[in-house]
Amino acid sequence: FMTMNTVDFVESLESVMFACATDVTTSKIQFTGVLFDLEVTTPSQVTFVGLSGFRMAKKSTKVERESSEALQLIVPAKPLAEFVKIAAAEESDKVNIFLSPNKSQVIFQLENVEFSVRLLEGPYPDYKSVVPAEHNYSFDIARTDLDRALKVVSTFARSAFGSRIYWDLDLETSTLLLHTSVTDLGKNEVRVPVSNASGVNDLKDAYGLQFLTDLINNISADSIHFETKEPLLPAIFTTPSDQSFLYLIMPMARED
């Protein structure tokens, strides 16, 4: 069916699996799986997608396959994560992926391992439609700076409603202020520099701590690019070093 480089397979799936929903009682069953999207227009590429109702991670990578037909597979994230661990530990250069004759199961094959997973039934949401076509605000930030800032504000953020972090972009000073406050505890804030900042005016938004922390923990790029059209609309995070990766999160309402 198709073959992938093992390193590409592992790194690509690690960059999207974390975004899948884990609670099937509050989410569509499809949200608990990773989409393997193969399109006619890009037969030598597979796009992996993980999403929940509040965020999405997407990564494309090279694949070898004989057919160029369009195909979408929804692989449950939990067993898939177990196979990714196995693949990372094995010494196989390639991962061979097969479909059962009735297309209800996918079989992953390494040199010494064969792993079968039952697929989830579709349809999968139209993930492309949730990505904004344009933006009014953008900047670049060093991954280490954002990581440090999140650690500073996380103490109070974990006690705040929804672990909400306020996200204020100051265009004049090219700085991003992250802050949170908790009644009876006080306020915690940190200001970090950004580059290539642009916008119609200063931006004030808010995002969940865990969604931002997951981004930091699942990418290795030195720089992160941020975009949004306006407050309360989806935020897009990409990495200049890897144009095939995209992470989208929904903002939270502010109380100030």
Side-chain angles (χ1 to χ4, degrees):
F1 165 54
M2 67 180 185
T3 301
M4 293 185 62
N5 174 277
T6 303
V7 173
D8 290 344
F9 177 84
V10 170
E11 290 182 352
S12 296
L13 285 168
E14 285 181 341
S15 66
V16 302
M17 289 187 300
F18 72 92
C20 294
T22 56
D23 188 353
V24 70
T25 62
T26 59
S27 304
K28 293 181 179 180
I29 186 68
Q30 293 88 347
F31 288 5
T32 63
V34 173
L35 175 69
F36 288 43
D37 192 10
L38 296 146
E39 299 184 277
V40 173
T41 54
T42 52
S44 61
Q45 175 179 290
V46 59
T47 298
F48 298 117
V49 183
L51 58 75
S52 67
F54 306 99
R55 64 176 173 177
M56 177 184 77
K58 177 175 74 74
K59 172 83 169 94
S60 298
T61 193
K62 293 180 180 179
V63 66
E64 298 175 10
R65 60 181 183 132
E66 296 179 358
S67 172
S68 61
E69 69 173 318
L71 187 64
Q72 288 193 336
L73 310 177
I74 310 174
V75 184
K78 190 172 182 179
L80 180 60
E82 292 303 313
F83 177 72
V84 168
K85 291 178 183 178
I86 295 171
E90 288 286 316
E91 296 183 354
S92 298
D93 294 331
K94 300 285 186 180
V95 177
N96 296 312
I97 304 171
F98 304 95
L99 271 179
S100 62
N102 62 1
K103 296 185 177 181
S104 65
Q105 289 186 313
V106 62
I107 299 97
F108 300 100
Q109 187 182 73
L110 301 170
E111 187 174 343
N112 300 308
V113 177
E114 188 169 288
F115 194 94
S116 177
V117 182
R118 185 170 185 83
L119 297 172
L120 297 175
E121 295 184 3
Y124 197 79
D126 181 10
Y127 67 91
K128 295 179 182 178
S129 66
V130 304
V131 180
E134 57 186 22
H135 66 273
N136 294 325
Y137 301 89
S138 68
F139 62 79
D140 296 312
I141 186 170
R143 178 184 175 278
T144 52
D145 286 345
L146 182 56
D147 185 21
R148 174 178 57 84
L150 290 174
K151 288 175 179 176
V152 170
V153 298
S154 65
T155 304
F156 282 9
R158 297 185 191 283
S159 301
F161 174 75
S163 297
R164 175 175 48 205
I165 289 181
Y166 289 84
W167 180 276
D168 298 352
L169 172 64
D170 188 325
L171 291 171
E172 184 177 353
T173 61
S174 288
T175 56
L176 178 68
L177 175 66
L178 301 184
H179 61 100
T180 189
S181 60
V182 179
T183 304
D184 299 329
L185 289 180
K187 185 176 182 179
N188 203 355
E189 66 179 39
V190 60
R191 192 179 298 272
V192 293
V194 300
S195 59
N196 304 316
S198 65
V200 293
N201 45 46
D202 291 344
L203 173 69
K204 292 183 180 295
D205 228 326
Y207 304 104
L209 170 65
Q210 191 61 53
F211 287 1
L212 294 170
T213 302
D214 283 346
L215 170 66
I216 294 295
N217 292 339
N218 288 281
I219 64 168
S220 57
D222 294 332
S223 179
I224 297 172
H225 181 73
F226 167 87
E227 294 180 359
T228 190
K229 187 173 182 180
E230 58 185 70
L232 297 179
L233 289 183
I236 299 292
F237 297 86
T238 56
T239 59
S241 60
D242 183 3
Q243 297 298 319
S244 69
F245 172 78
L246 180 147
Y247 183 51
L248 177 151
I249 61 176
M250 298 300 297
M252 302 179 70
R254 294 175 62 122
E255 294 182 342
D256 58 356

